[in-house]
Amino acid sequence: MIIAIDGPAGAGKSTVARRVAAELGVDYLDTGAMYRAVTFGVLAREIDPADARAVIEVCGQLELDVGVDRVVVDGVDATSAIRGPEVTSGVSSVAANPEVRSILVELQRAWVRNRGAGVVEGRDITTVVLPDADLKLFVTASPRVRAERRVAESGGDVDAVEASIAERDRRDETREASPLSISAEAIVIDTSEMSIDDVVADVLWRVQG
Ligand code: CDP
C-alpha cells in the first residue's frame, strides 16, 4: 500500500504520516526534509538559495541521507539544523527550482520502487510524485491552528509564526514548478478541530476499513 499525503506547513502531516506508517509497519518518507537538506547543503557552501544555477550545481554534488530520525548532508549531521530559521527561510527558493525538484522527485520515486509500500508526505506527492498512490490525502488546518501547533512544538510568538507560515504557503502555492494544490482525487482532512489521534484513526480507517 502506498499512501501519499500533501498539505501546507504545520498541518500535522509529518506526525500523522509517521504514526500511520508505524501502525502499518511500513516506512515513512518526509520529502520536506529532503528540500531542507539540500537547503542546508547550499547554505553550508555559502551559496544564496535564490541563485538557481549555483543551487542546481550543488544539488547534484550533495551526498544526502534523509532518514526518519537522522538527516546527514555530506557527512554532517543536519537533523536539527534543517529545522532552524536559516533553512526555513531559504527552503522555498530551493523548492521553487525545477531542476532541484526533478532530482528529488526521482529519488522519492526510487524510494517507493525499492520498498513497494510506504507513507510519503510533502507538497506535490498526490499531484506529481505519486499520482497513482493507493490513498491520496490532503491534510490541512486553519492558519491559526497551524501556527499554534508550531509554537507548541518549537516555541516562538504565535503571530510571527502565523505570518511566516502564511508567507511560505503563499510561495509554495504560487510557484511555477509543482505548486501546492489539492488534487481532484485527494481526500481533504481538515484537522483544525481534530487531535492527532483522531486524524491517525481516520486515516487507518480509510486504509483498513
Ligand atoms: O514541516 P513544514 O510544514 O514546515 O515543511 P516541510 O514539509 O519540512 O517542507 C519545507 C518546504 O519544502 C516547503 O515549504 C516547500 O517549499 C518544500 N517542499 C516542496 O516543495 N515539496 C515537497 N514535496 C515537500 C516540501
Side-chain angles (χ1 to χ4, degrees):
M1 176 115 199
I2 296 164
I3 303 176
I5 307 179
D6 285 326
K13 302 183 300 292
S14 300
T15 314
V16 170
R18 187 188 284 260
R19 289 209 15 212
V20 166
E23 292 283 343
L24 298 175
V26 298
D27 286 337
Y28 150 63
L29 180 64
D30 173 359
T31 64
M34 298 173 76
Y35 289 93
R36 287 175 178 275
V38 172
T39 308
F40 174 86
V42 163
L43 295 173
R45 295 179 188 210
E46 293 182 356
I47 283 160
D48 176 0
D51 182 346
R53 203 175 287 210
V55 168
I56 296 162
E57 207 180 305
V58 170
C59 185
Q61 296 165 356
L62 289 175
E63 208 179 297
L64 299 178
D65 180 0
V66 178
V68 178
D69 296 313
R70 217 164 86 97
V71 173
V72 180
V73 180
D74 281 343
V76 177
D77 189 326
T79 316
S80 349
I82 63 161
R83 308 285 163 199
E86 290 85 7
V87 169
T88 298
S89 59
V91 68
S92 318
S93 304
V94 170
N97 189 313
E99 278 87 352
V100 170
R101 301 200 70 84
S102 65
I103 293 172
L104 295 189
V105 166
E106 264 326 297
L107 293 173
Q108 291 154 14
R109 290 185 178 143
W111 184 96
V112 172
R113 270 199 305 277
N114 290 337
R115 287 167 178 77
V119 182
V120 183
E121 167 253 309
R123 299 290 191 287
D124 61 341
I125 311 306
T126 62
T127 52
V128 175
V129 181
L130 303 169
D132 297 326
D134 301 297
L135 181 64
K136 295 187 273 279
L137 302 173
F138 190 92
V139 175
T140 188
S142 72
R144 192 66 181 180
V145 167
R146 293 191 280 120
E148 283 166 357
R149 286 182 186 157
R150 266 297 134 89
V151 168
E153 221 171 58
S154 32
D157 169 70
V158 73
D159 289 324
V161 171
E162 186 175 348
S164 120
I165 283 182
E167 172 58 14
R168 197 145 52 86
D169 286 351
R170 192 193 59 74
R171 298 178 73 178
D172 287 344
E173 286 161 5
T174 57
R175 72 180 175 220
E176 229 164 274
S178 310
L180 172 67
S181 69
I182 307 180
S183 153
E185 293 173 23
I187 297 163
V188 178
I189 304 180
D190 185 332
T191 71
S192 303
E193 294 184 5
M194 292 169 86
S195 69
I196 289 293
D197 285 344
D198 293 340
V199 185
V200 171
D202 179 301
V203 176
L204 289 173
W205 175 79
R206 288 174 200 280
V207 176
Q208 299 169 321

